[in-house]
Amino acid sequence: MKHLLTVLKYALLLAVSGLLMWYALRGQDLSRVGQYMRSANYWWLGLTVLISAMGYFSRAYRWRMQITPTGYNPSYWAVYHAMMVGYLANLVLPRMGEVIRCSVLQRSSKVPVQVALGTVVTERVIDVLVLLSVLSATLLLDFNRFWTFVTDKMLGGQYDALARNRTPLLIAGGIALLLLLGVAYTIFRNLERLRQNELFNKFVALVKGLLAGVFSVLKMENKGLFLFHTFFTWLVYYLMDYLAFFCFPETYDLGLRAALAVLTFGAFGMAAPVAGGIGPFHVMVQATLLAYGVSMEAGIAYALVVHGAQTLLVVLMGGISFLVSMANSGRKGQLDLSPMAVSMSNDAVE
């Protein structure tokens, strides 16, 4: 039954991804989309792929810097291969790549899954903080453009009516608050009973391991180098989006602020719990470019080409890392990325 639910969950996420892709392509002239893609200047795209590869090497170095203060010292290449196998898995199994890369690192370097996962949580928290900063900068630089786009085109001029009738939003917020308070009260009342529960104790052990990974950042000897790699990673993302503008005539003249906006909203699309961000990324990037006067056909062509190139890069680099990891493990097929195997990989965290 558990395996069936796992398969159904991923099937539902795949359906959501397909629905969003249909939404991005609906009502458009697909022949024009194809024409934009065929006429793109792929030399610029090749440059973005090269820069992107440098970003992955930097992310691996940053992750190793987080792991070392926990008392474990995996090699750089062990960390890199584990990370790339995780990114490869994310193309098929949304968000499970984080658990898988920690499992791979445990096999190759004996780093406990919960400790490695704690460093991944820290990595994600830092990236969220950077993304929120980038979002703030984007809205500060182009607030009027996005406000007009949302109120006029997305809400169809109905903003004033929605602003006057806030009752449904207040009711929804009140219900959510009551549910949250109810859950907190129930946990507090049954805390002693929970402490006698084996599953609860395993959860506590998991949280302690996660916290060890989270606070590893505070124990780093060279925090400046860590910040440099964080900055460099996001600079790579930014340059990828900006340089890709030169692939298409309609985006060729877009400036640095437009690239910042594409980076911001594209990142939100990639963060969606679907395989490889397929669907949400395309919708977000298309809508962002539309706000800058780019046609929907050119916007979706840009999103398809950029996302496709990055996906192929992950397949190439992740595939090589997967083969290397299998060879190092000495047991072919040990790294199983099927939904069934991933549903069981959570047991390693316990």
Side-chain angles (χ1 to χ4, degrees):
M1 184 65 180
K2 180 180 178 180
H3 291 166
L4 177 60
L5 290 176
T6 300
V7 172
L8 290 176
K9 178 179 73 173
Y10 289 115
L12 177 61
L13 292 175
L14 183 62
V16 170
S17 182
L19 180 63
L20 289 172
M21 281 298 297
W22 168 83
Y23 177 80
L25 291 167
R26 81 195 194 291
Q28 296 186 43
D29 187 346
L30 296 183
S31 63
R32 285 188 63 196
V33 175
Q35 182 180 356
Y36 279 123
M37 295 177 67
R38 287 191 299 271
S39 61
N41 186 337
Y42 285 96
W43 287 105
W44 285 105
L45 191 66
L47 181 58
T48 68
V49 169
L50 179 61
I51 293 174
S52 179
M54 295 171 59
Y56 287 122
F57 291 127
S58 178
R59 286 191 77 94
Y61 192 90
R62 187 181 73 162
W63 189 28
R64 186 175 182 273
M65 289 186 67
Q66 293 177 257
I67 295 171
T68 302
T70 65
Y72 300 91
N73 191 30
S75 69
Y76 169 81
W77 289 110
V79 172
Y80 165 78
H81 290 312
M83 184 191 75
M84 291 311 304
V85 170
Y87 286 153
L88 179 65
N90 272 336
L91 296 179
V92 183
L93 305 168
R95 303 278 74 88
M96 285 308 300
E98 317 301 355
V99 176
I100 289 175
R101 68 160 155 164
C102 295
S103 299
V104 173
L105 192 62
Q106 182 191 43
R107 294 189 186 105
S108 64
S109 304
K110 308 303 180 185
V111 179
V113 172
Q114 63 268 27
V115 173
L117 198 58
T119 62
V120 172
V121 171
T122 307
E123 180 184 277
R124 290 290 173 259
V125 170
I126 292 172
D127 285 340
V128 167
L129 292 176
V130 175
L131 179 57
L132 292 177
S133 300
V134 174
L135 173 63
S136 300
T138 300
L139 296 179
L140 183 64
L141 292 172
D142 260 343
F143 178 80
N144 291 334
R145 180 190 299 274
F146 286 107
W147 182 255
T148 302
F149 178 76
V150 170
T151 56
D152 292 350
K153 295 189 177 181
M154 295 185 67
L155 296 180
Q158 299 300 313
Y159 170 76
D160 291 337
L162 292 172
R164 285 193 297 268
N165 186 15
R166 300 179 181 177
T167 303
L169 293 177
L170 294 174
I171 293 175
I175 293 174
L177 180 60
L178 289 175
L179 289 174
L180 183 62
L181 291 174
V183 170
Y185 178 75
T186 302
I187 292 176
F188 179 77
R189 284 290 303 271
N190 296 278
L191 189 58
E192 289 299 326
R193 188 182 303 174
L194 286 172
R195 287 172 177 169
Q196 301 173 6
N197 184 279
E198 183 181 357
L199 183 62
F200 178 77
N201 290 328
K202 287 183 177 180
F203 174 76
V204 171
L206 170 63
V207 171
K208 289 180 178 179
L210 290 175
L211 290 176
V214 168
F215 288 107
S216 65
V217 174
L218 301 179
K219 301 177 183 178
M220 285 182 186
E221 295 182 359
N222 197 338
K223 296 182 179 65
L225 186 59
F226 178 83
L227 292 175
F228 168 79
H229 280 284
T230 299
F231 172 79
F232 181 76
T233 296
W234 282 88
L235 177 63
V236 164
Y237 294 154
Y238 179 70
L239 290 176
M240 284 162 44
D241 292 327
Y242 177 67
L243 294 176
F245 283 164
F246 299 107
C247 293
F248 303 92
E250 280 209 31
T251 58
Y252 192 91
D253 293 326
L254 293 180
L256 298 174
R257 289 191 297 183
L260 191 65
V262 170
L263 165 65
T264 303
F265 297 108
F268 280 108
M270 290 299 295
V274 298
I278 299 173
F281 174 83
H282 299 79
V283 171
M284 295 296 286
V285 170
Q286 182 189 47
T288 302
L289 291 176
L290 187 62
Y292 284 89
V294 177
S295 68
M296 296 187 71
E297 287 84 0
I300 193 61
Y302 173 93
L304 287 168
V305 167
V306 170
H307 186 274
Q310 295 305 312
T311 300
L312 289 176
L313 179 63
V314 171
V315 170
L316 175 62
M317 297 177 69
I320 293 173
S321 292
F322 177 70
L323 293 175
V324 171
S325 297
M326 284 202 306
N328 290 340
S329 71
R331 293 187 293 275
K332 187 176 180 180
Q334 184 180 15
L335 301 177
D336 188 355
L337 299 185
S338 68
M340 299 300 184
V342 172
S343 69
M344 298 302 294
S345 67
N346 289 318
D347 296 338
V349 178
E350 299 178 2

